[in-house]
Structure formats: C-alpha cells, structure tokens
C-alpha cells in the first residue's frame, strides 16, 4: 500500500478568532528597507486581518477608516501610514523550489480613500506578496489586546517573533546576528549602532513589555566574539498560571500605567514604587531611581510630560542615567535630561 504524504497545513487555512488575528511568518521576520512606525505596523496588521478570507486572491478589500483610526479624531495619521506602507519595501527569507531565497516586496498595493471621514478605504495586496502568503506554512497568532497595548514598534515586533515561535515543541531559543536582530526589529540605519544603546533603548524596554503583557517570558542574551557582541540568543517559555494572571491584570491598566508597571517590575522587588499618588495625579518617582541619582526639578518632570505625552518619564530617566554613567557630569542635568528625552522620542516614536 502506498503511503500518501501528509498534506501541508498552509497559513491561509488558519482562522482568526474573536480575540486573535493571523500573521504569516514571512511578514514577522522581515527586514524593513523603509522604516515603519508602531502605528504603521498596527494598521498593516488590521489590513491583513480584514483581507484574510481572500488574502491570496487578486481582489480589492474594503475597510472602514473608523476601524483604522483607533482613538485618533482625525484620518490624517491613517493616510500618512497608508502612504508609508505603499512606499515600504521589505526583505524576507523564503523558500522557492526547495531552496532558500531573499524576496523583496512592497507591503501594500493601490488603494482608494473616500473623502468622507466616516468613509471606506479600498486596497489590494501586491501580487508578489500574495504568492508569498499563499505558500506560507508558518504563522503567528496575535492577540489584538496585546497588539494595541504594546507601546513601541520594537515591543510589537518582539511579541510577533515570540508568537511565531512559541508553539514549537522542539525549540525554545534561536540565535541571531546582532545586525540580523537589528534588521528584524526595524531599527533605522545609523541608529542604536552600539550594543549598549540597542539594549537600553530598544531591547530591554521591549523585553519588559512582552514579559509583562504576553503569555510568554522572554530573554535576549548577548553572545560575544572576542570582546564585541556579535550575536544574541532569543529565549522564550510559556508562563505559569500566576504569571499569566499578572499579564491579564496588566492589560487592564491604561497605556501609560502599563508602561510604568512594566518598567517598575523590571527593577528589583524591594525598590518598586507605588504607581500613583492619587486620582489624576502623576505617579511618584520610583524608589529604584533614588539609587541612580537625585531627583530633577519638579518643573523638569512637568515639562517632560507636556512635551512627550504617552512616555514613561521615569523609565526614560533611568535610561538617561545609565547612558550618562562614566561620562563627565552635565553642567545642567535638567536640561541634559530633556535633550536626551527629545532624542529618545525621535528615535522611538509612539
């Protein structure tokens, strides 16, 4: 009796649920030739989800602009994201005729945006990308709530990487070259070029958020060749019941509170601070920061909150103090902190 080969389960056969969406693995571990923002990535995931039932077919898909707009009162940001996605070129590793290859594709094809604010957006998936998706056999299942809770594109990308790999029974770690990880995370060229800057500004905050909000614990460990970090090891493992409960509670916090919580929980247990001092009041400066240096002026923190809404100012202060270690003390620490914050916000938009 001839034994027939077991049919391959294709990514397009996977079904989204009320709480999750599907993303092909090739679109998780891609290299951004054209940098994208957190909002761009979220919107693109929504476009993929909306088109899923016919994702590999040459048809136009339609979605309401209200669904893409989220909490914003204007469609301007949606239009800007759509234009970046149309012009974005990405590289992905694929298999063609059983051999590894690098595919370069555009993420989004032609589209029509109705002028009315509550109108529709009509779009198509480019032909080459449809072929990649149709041949895909590996995917990530993303929780919508987590996707919208994560506060940086680095955290969202790391979350997608772990969700793609989390159910592998035979694997719980993977090694990347440092440049390879930087490429997958979408770090712009010329930014965060040293390991210390990459770790402090991208990796550590992303790991803290993914550990706090997802179903997995994550580590990224440096691997040296000689005296330089040339590779990293990504490790993941599923949380136990207690840790999963903490993640569910963390998701119930407001976005600013979630970022504050994940930053504080990455500090030693004994140094965690109370999250807030009262209804509507800014939370107190965490105790663990006292060990790194004296508090700045009150008006400096107020200025930071006004200039950079949505960021966890104390987490950024901690990163600034780590960056300043071993350097000549600033003549005006308050001014130096705000300058560091501005550069950080430019490099890590939310």
């Amino acid at each position: 009796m001839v034994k027939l080969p077991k049919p391959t389960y294709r990514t397009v056969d996977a079904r989204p649920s009320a709480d999750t969406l599907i993303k092909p693995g090739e679109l998780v571990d891609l290299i951004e030739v054209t940098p994208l923002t957190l909002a761009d990535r979220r919107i693109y995931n929504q476009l993929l989800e909306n088109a899923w039932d016919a994702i590999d077919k040459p048809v136009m898909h339609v979605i309401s602009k209200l669904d893409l707009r989220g909490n914003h009162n204007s469609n301007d940001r949606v239009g800007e994201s759509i234009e970046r996605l149309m012009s974005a070129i990405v590289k992905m590793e694929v298999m063609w005729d059983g051999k590894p290859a690098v595919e370069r594709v555009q993420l989004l094809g032609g589209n029509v945006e109705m002028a009315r604010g509550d109108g529709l957006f009509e779009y198509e998936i480019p032909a080459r990308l449809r072929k990649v998706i149709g041949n895909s056999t590996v995917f990530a299942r993303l929780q919508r709530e987590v996707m919208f809770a994560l506060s940086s594109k680095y955290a969202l990308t790391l979350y997608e990487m772990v969700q793609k790999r989390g159910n592998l029974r035979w694997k719980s770690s993977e090694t990347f070259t440092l440049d390879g990880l930087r490429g997958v995370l979408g770090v712009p060229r010329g930014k965060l070029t040293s390991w210390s800057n990459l770790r402090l500004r991208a990796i550590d905050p992303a790991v803290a958020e993914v550990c706090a909000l997802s179903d997995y614990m994550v580590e990224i460990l440096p691997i040296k060749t000689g005296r330089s970090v040339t590779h990293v090891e990504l490790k993941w493992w599923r949380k136990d019941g207690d840790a999963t409960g903490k993640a569910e509670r963390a998701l119930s916090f407001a976005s600013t509170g979630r970022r504050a919580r994940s930053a504080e929980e990455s500090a030693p247990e004994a140094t965690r601070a109370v999250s807030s001092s009262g209804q509507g009041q800014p939370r107190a400066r965490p105790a663990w920061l006292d060990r790194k240096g004296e508090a700045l002026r009150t008006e400096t923190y107020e200025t930071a909150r006004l200039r950079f809404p949505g960021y966890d100012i104390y987490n950024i202060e901690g990163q600034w103090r780590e960056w300043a270690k071993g350097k000549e003390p600033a003549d005006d620490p308050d001014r130096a902190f705000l300058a560091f914050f501005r550069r950080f916000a430019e490099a890590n938009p939310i």
Side-chain angles (χ1 to χ4, degrees):
M1 182 177 178
V2 177
K3 189 174 182 180
L4 297 176
K6 186 178 179 180
T8 301
Y9 186 83
R10 298 193 306 156
T11 293
V12 293
D13 296 325
R15 295 294 93 192
S17 71
D19 301 317
T20 64
L21 57 93
I22 305 299
K23 188 165 188 178
E26 292 80 0
L27 289 173
V28 172
D29 291 351
L30 54 77
I31 306 296
E32 294 179 4
V33 177
T34 310
L36 299 172
T37 68
L38 173 62
D40 299 342
R41 285 176 171 249
R42 284 176 175 162
I43 286 176
Y44 192 63
N45 285 349
Q46 290 176 275
L47 295 176
L48 291 176
E49 177 190 21
N50 179 71
W52 195 252
D53 287 341
I55 192 74
D56 58 341
K57 303 202 170 40
V59 298
M60 298 294 287
H61 310 280
V62 179
I63 190 172
S64 168
K65 287 188 288 185
L66 290 175
D67 292 337
L68 297 177
R69 200 168 72 186
N71 294 326
H72 300 297
N73 296 323
S74 168
N75 289 319
D76 292 346
R77 291 192 182 184
V78 173
E80 292 169 1
S81 287
I82 293 301
E83 289 166 9
R84 281 192 293 270
L85 289 168
M86 285 186 68
S87 62
I89 299 173
V90 298
K91 295 190 297 185
M92 57 184 73
E93 294 182 356
V94 297
M95 297 294 292
W96 289 124
D97 298 327
K99 298 179 181 179
V102 174
E103 181 97 7
R104 293 177 180 85
V105 299
Q106 293 174 290
L107 290 177
L108 189 63
N111 55 80
V112 178
E113 179 184 357
M114 300 303 176
R116 287 179 48 176
D118 59 350
L120 300 177
F121 176 69
E122 186 175 347
Y123 63 99
E124 62 180 349
I125 304 297
R128 291 297 301 177
L129 184 54
R130 291 201 306 270
K131 188 173 182 181
V132 170
I133 294 173
N135 288 328
S136 174
T137 58
V138 179
F139 62 89
R141 184 176 289 275
L142 310 178
Q143 291 179 290
R144 291 186 188 86
E145 193 174 14
V146 175
M147 181 181 78
F148 285 107
L150 296 166
S151 66
S152 76
K153 77 170 187 177
Y154 303 131
L156 177 56
T157 306
L158 179 61
Y159 170 65
E160 293 179 359
M161 292 171 68
V162 173
Q163 290 299 112
K164 172 186 172 182
R165 295 163 170 81
N167 289 324
L168 297 176
R169 296 181 180 179
W170 48 271
K171 191 173 183 180
S172 60
S173 68
E174 187 169 339
T175 299
F176 297 82
T177 66
L178 193 57
D179 287 341
L181 180 68
R182 185 181 284 109
V184 173
L185 288 177
V187 179
R189 291 181 181 177
K191 301 288 187 180
L192 309 182
T193 53
S194 70
W195 163 249
S196 58
N197 281 341
L198 181 66
R199 179 178 62 81
L200 284 172
R201 301 190 184 188
I203 292 177
D204 285 356
V207 167
E209 279 204 277
V210 172
C211 288
L213 300 176
S214 79
D215 293 333
Y216 289 89
M217 297 300 294
V218 185
E219 282 186 336
I220 296 182
L221 305 175
I223 300 174
K224 289 187 175 183
T225 301
R227 300 178 63 181
S228 301
V229 176
T230 57
H231 296 72
V232 296
E233 182 183 19
L234 170 64
K235 302 175 72 174
W236 62 89
W237 62 96
R238 189 173 287 275
K239 292 177 178 176
D240 59 23
D242 290 342
T244 300
K246 289 181 180 179
E248 291 174 353
R249 289 193 295 274
L251 282 170
S252 69
F253 296 161
S255 59
T256 302
R258 280 194 299 264
R259 285 191 290 273
R261 183 76 173 199
S262 63
E264 289 179 20
E265 289 189 347
S266 67
E269 179 74 25
T271 62
R272 293 177 192 163
V274 177
S275 293
S276 65
S277 56
Q279 181 68 26
Q281 298 296 320
R283 67 188 180 94
R285 185 173 185 262
W288 58 268
L289 265 178
D290 292 339
R291 299 170 58 180
K292 295 180 178 293
E294 293 183 2
L296 300 169
R297 295 197 301 266
T298 301
E299 53 265 35
T300 300
Y301 295 119
E302 292 174 351
T303 299
R305 289 189 185 96
L306 290 171
R307 288 184 183 176
F308 313 105
Y311 288 88
D312 176 7
I313 62 171
Y314 298 129
N315 182 27
I316 308 304
E317 182 188 353
Q319 296 192 45
W320 168 62
R321 293 190 182 278
E322 286 292 328
W323 171 83
K325 274 185 180 178
K327 296 181 173 63
E328 190 74 23
D331 294 333
D332 188 339
D334 298 86
R335 187 173 180 179
F337 168 64
L338 292 174
F340 176 89
F341 210 142
R342 176 179 54 79
R343 293 193 299 271
F344 180 92
E346 289 173 352
N348 302 276
I350 59 175

